[in-house]
């Protein structure tokens, strides 16, 4: 594949103290994700899916090995530098949308752009374009409580990509949705990846959606394995 390597994990290990013992979740895990590619992370609960996503998103530090974002080694970076990379280069989508209830859909999408320093007019213009792209432009001025589950999750995806990140990490983004709505939300997400060159890793238990992605991986004995 000629596309850039947006995310790479090299020899990553993660261990947790459990009582008097040590629980090893990742044991020298290697993984790479290219721009414009969707990868399904399919693994049973307790095998380390969330840990892998947290490490990839620089929310945790590995005990050994290295995480690279767009070729940059992140292990030796300070908290401020890691926060800047998360803000600018990584988008997160969770099973629950985590939208701010007191703000409208468009304001929720504007928020990360304003934090990144964009002016209000530009942030609103980009937010409106993303809502249109997700086919919910007509819901721009509605608060989350006035939106359906699928609409809320599409707003959450739009918010995650508002700062044009290189990498999108999604943890069960359609887990709370019915199959038809889940399929529609994934269609919008997939189109966004193709159009923008975004690299997306999506943890899911939905095997139908996983089958539609470019690659499928799982975690076996602390390593990332292609399916």
């Amino acid at each position: 594949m000629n596309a850039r390597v947006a995310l790479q994990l090299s020899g990553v290990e993660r261990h947790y103290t459990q009582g008097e013992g040590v629980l090893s979740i990742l044991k020298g895990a290697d993984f790479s994700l290219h721009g414009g590619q969707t990868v399904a992370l399919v693994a049973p609960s307790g095998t380390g899916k969330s840990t892998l996503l947290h490490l990839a998103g620089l929310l945790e530090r590995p005990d050994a090995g290295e995480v690279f974002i767009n070729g940059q080694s992140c292990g030796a970076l300070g908290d401020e530098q890691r926060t800047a990379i998360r803000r600018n280069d990584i988008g997160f989508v969770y099973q629950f949308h985590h939208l701010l209830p007191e703000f409208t859909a468009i304001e929720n999408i504007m928020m990360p752009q304003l934090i990144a320093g964009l002016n209000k007019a530009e942030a609103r213009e980009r937010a409106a374009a993303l809502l249109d792209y997700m086919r919910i432009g007509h819901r721009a001025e509605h608060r989350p409580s006035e939106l359906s589950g699928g609409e809320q999750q599409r707003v959450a995806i739009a918010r995650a990509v508002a700062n044009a990140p290189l990498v999108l990490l999604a943890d069960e983004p359609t887990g709370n949705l019915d199959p038809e709505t889940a399929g529609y939300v994934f269609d919008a997400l997939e189109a966004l990846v193709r159009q923008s060159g975004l690299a997306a890793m999506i943890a899911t238990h939905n095997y139908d959606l996983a089958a539609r992605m470019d690659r499928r991986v799982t975690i076996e004995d602390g390593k990332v394995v292609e399916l």
Side-chain angles (χ1 to χ4, degrees), residues 63-103:
D63 295 302
E66 188 56 280
V67 177
F68 299 87
I69 302 294
N70 200 32
Q72 180 179 9
S73 172
C74 298
L77 298 179
D79 289 341
E80 190 171 319
Q81 293 169 298
R82 289 165 67 88
T83 298
I85 291 175
R86 283 198 303 272
R87 183 176 61 236
N88 299 320
D89 296 333
I90 304 173
F92 298 91
V93 182
Y94 300 99
Q95 183 170 346
F96 186 71
H97 55 77
H98 294 297
L99 299 175
L100 299 172
E102 64 272 31
F103 294 101

Side-chain angles (χ1 to χ4, degrees), residues 24-68:
S24 295
I25 301 296
L26 297 175
K27 310 171 189 176
D30 297 311
F31 174 75
S32 63
L33 178 62
H34 295 77
Q37 185 180 67
T38 55
V39 176
L41 175 58
V42 184
S45 298
T47 56
K49 289 200 307 297
S50 294
T51 297
L52 185 66
L53 288 170
H54 287 169
L55 290 168
L58 307 186
L59 295 171
E60 294 184 32
R61 293 180 185 268
D63 295 302
E66 188 56 280
V67 177
F68 299 87

Side-chain angles (χ1 to χ4, degrees), residues 12-199:
V12 165
E13 297 186 9
R14 191 69 173 104
H15 314 291
Y16 299 97
T17 301
Q18 192 175 56
E20 296 182 357
V22 174
L23 180 63
S24 295
I25 301 296
L26 297 175
K27 310 171 189 176
D30 297 311
F31 174 75
S32 63
L33 178 62
H34 295 77
Q37 185 180 67
T38 55
V39 176
L41 175 58
V42 184
S45 298
T47 56
K49 289 200 307 297
S50 294
T51 297
L52 185 66
L53 288 170
H54 287 169
L55 290 168
L58 307 186
L59 295 171
E60 294 184 32
R61 293 180 185 268
D63 295 302
E66 188 56 280
V67 177
F68 299 87
I69 302 294
N70 200 32
Q72 180 179 9
S73 172
C74 298
L77 298 179
D79 289 341
E80 190 171 319
Q81 293 169 298
R82 289 165 67 88
T83 298
I85 291 175
R86 283 198 303 272
R87 183 176 61 236
N88 299 320
D89 296 333
I90 304 173
F92 298 91
V93 182
Y94 300 99
Q95 183 170 346
F96 186 71
H97 55 77
H98 294 297
L99 299 175
L100 299 172
E102 64 272 31
F103 294 101
T104 63
I106 196 166
E107 289 169 341
N108 267 277
I109 301 168
M110 290 171 63
M111 201 67 64
Q113 300 177 77
L114 296 174
I115 291 170
L118 208 63
N119 69 53
K120 193 171 182 179
E122 290 176 313
R124 177 171 283 274
E125 183 179 355
R126 176 162 174 78
L130 283 166
L131 283 169
D132 285 340
Y133 194 86
M134 303 300 279
R135 298 184 183 179
I136 48 172
H138 60 293
R139 308 290 273 166
E141 301 301 332
H142 291 254
R143 287 183 169 80
S145 61
E146 300 170 313
L147 303 175
S148 70
E151 289 171 338
Q152 290 171 347
Q153 200 63 318
R154 276 181 276 166
V155 174
I157 292 169
R159 180 183 59 184
V161 301
N163 285 339
L166 301 170
V167 178
L168 180 70
L169 303 173
D171 194 356
E172 297 287 348
T174 61
N176 286 329
L177 307 176
D178 64 82
E180 183 177 356
T181 304
Y184 193 83
V185 168
F186 182 76
D187 286 343
L189 176 57
E190 187 176 39
L192 198 61
V193 168
R194 303 290 181 237
Q195 187 270 339
S196 66
L198 187 66

